[in-house]
Amino acid sequence: MKLLHIDSSILGEQSVSRMLSRATVERLKEHNPAIDIIHRDLAAVPVPHLTGDHLAASPAVMDEIAFGEKILDEFINADVVVIGVALYNLTISSQLKAWIDRIVIAGKTFRYTENGPEGLAQEKRVILDVARGGQYRQGTSLTASEHAESYLRSIFAFIGVTRLDVIAADGLAVSDAHRESGTRAAFEALSALDPRCGF
Ligand SMILES: Cc1cc2nc3c(=O)[nH]c(=O)nc-3n(C[C@H](O)[C@H](O)[C@H](O)COP(=O)(O)O)c2cc1C
């Protein structure tokens, strides 16, 4: 069993999504002690943005192409992927988007068919640990403006992931009391998360 742990917040030790993703990995590890863990910190070692040179496989970017293939292999080989997601400007960080651009690859994680695109990453579990300054839960006025969780749900569904859980800490920038209650609610949800990793 392999677990890929991704962090994408730029806020280091202050980051709530990092705190949640670390606790999620610890919970899964406790129940699956033999699990292999790879941690990829996209703020410490950023994945370069895609460019035309990459797509043309120009010799000048062969190292970067190899790095991109490593990123893709890590994802394909993982049974469980835990992602710390910080909400920036209503969406995911550009660091996380650069990673997504390396794992959503035709012929690898999805393919085009006569009946439309088909996801190939079907036997994978994804857990999102989301941290948001505002309050975006269903039924609030900001729900429609949230493009991090909603985008990640769409893109992972596109590549065939059906087992996706979301742990969200909301309202972290509203007040100290909101930060505390939002974080507490996320940890409560985490303690109820199914820790079984297999299909
Ligand atoms: C550059 C930046 C942009 C942000 N944009 C938003 C935003 O659009 N909406 C929001 O609710 N919070 C926003 N926030 C607050 C973050 O969502 C909040 O700090 C959250 O805790 C970030 O996750 P982290 O703690 O893992 O870094 C922003 C924070 C930063 C640093």
Side-chain angles (χ1 to χ4, degrees):
M1 199 70 75
K2 287 189 164 54
L3 185 155
L4 176 60
H5 175 193
I6 302 284
D7 274 314
S8 61
S9 165
I10 58 172
L11 297 184
E13 285 304 307
Q14 304 303 315
S15 160
V16 173
S17 66
R18 283 174 184 266
M19 197 162 71
L20 286 171
S21 72
R22 195 181 312 131
T24 301
V25 170
E26 276 164 14
R27 177 166 166 76
L28 298 181
K29 171 110 177 127
E30 210 174 291
H31 287 79
N32 307 271
I35 202 161
D36 283 340
I37 300 172
I38 293 180
H39 183 212
R40 187 159 280 288
D41 184 337
L42 301 176
V45 183
V47 175
H49 286 158
L50 277 185
T51 65
D53 279 352
H54 290 101
L55 298 182
S58 138
V61 292
M62 289 320 268
D63 285 353
E64 274 186 36
I65 288 170
F67 183 55
E69 284 170 0
K70 185 168 181 229
I71 297 288
L72 175 62
D73 285 347
E74 283 174 359
F75 177 74
I76 287 176
N77 293 333
D79 301 286
V80 190
V81 183
V82 175
I83 309 179
V85 181
L87 180 74
Y88 297 150
N89 301 322
L90 303 180
T91 187
I92 59 174
S93 67
S94 56
Q95 287 87 347
L96 184 56
K97 179 58 167 55
W99 180 83
I100 295 276
D101 288 342
R102 304 299 176 137
I103 63 145
V104 180
I105 306 289
K108 298 285 188 182
T109 49
F110 75 97
R111 67 180 166 207
Y112 294 107
T113 74
E114 284 181 2
N115 301 320
E118 181 190 10
L120 301 174
Q122 285 163 11
E123 298 212 334
K124 214 175 283 300
R125 180 183 188 189
V126 174
I127 303 167
L128 307 178
D129 287 303
V130 186
R132 301 185 275 232
Q135 291 176 304
Y136 297 82
R137 287 192 190 284
Q138 282 300 323
T140 63
S141 61
L142 283 173
T143 305
S145 303
E146 206 279 6
H147 304 291
E149 176 183 338
S150 62
Y151 166 69
L152 291 169
R153 283 183 184 276
S154 297
I155 199 75
F156 283 115
F158 180 79
I159 60 172
V161 173
T162 54
R163 195 173 177 203
L164 183 132
D165 296 289
V166 178
I167 306 283
D170 262 335
L172 301 175
V174 175
S175 70
D176 287 348
H178 283 83
R179 187 176 178 88
E180 204 213 301
S181 65
T183 307
R184 192 177 344 107
F187 272 96
E188 277 167 19
L190 178 54
S191 66
L193 184 78
D194 182 353
R196 288 170 299 177
C197 292
F199 263 79

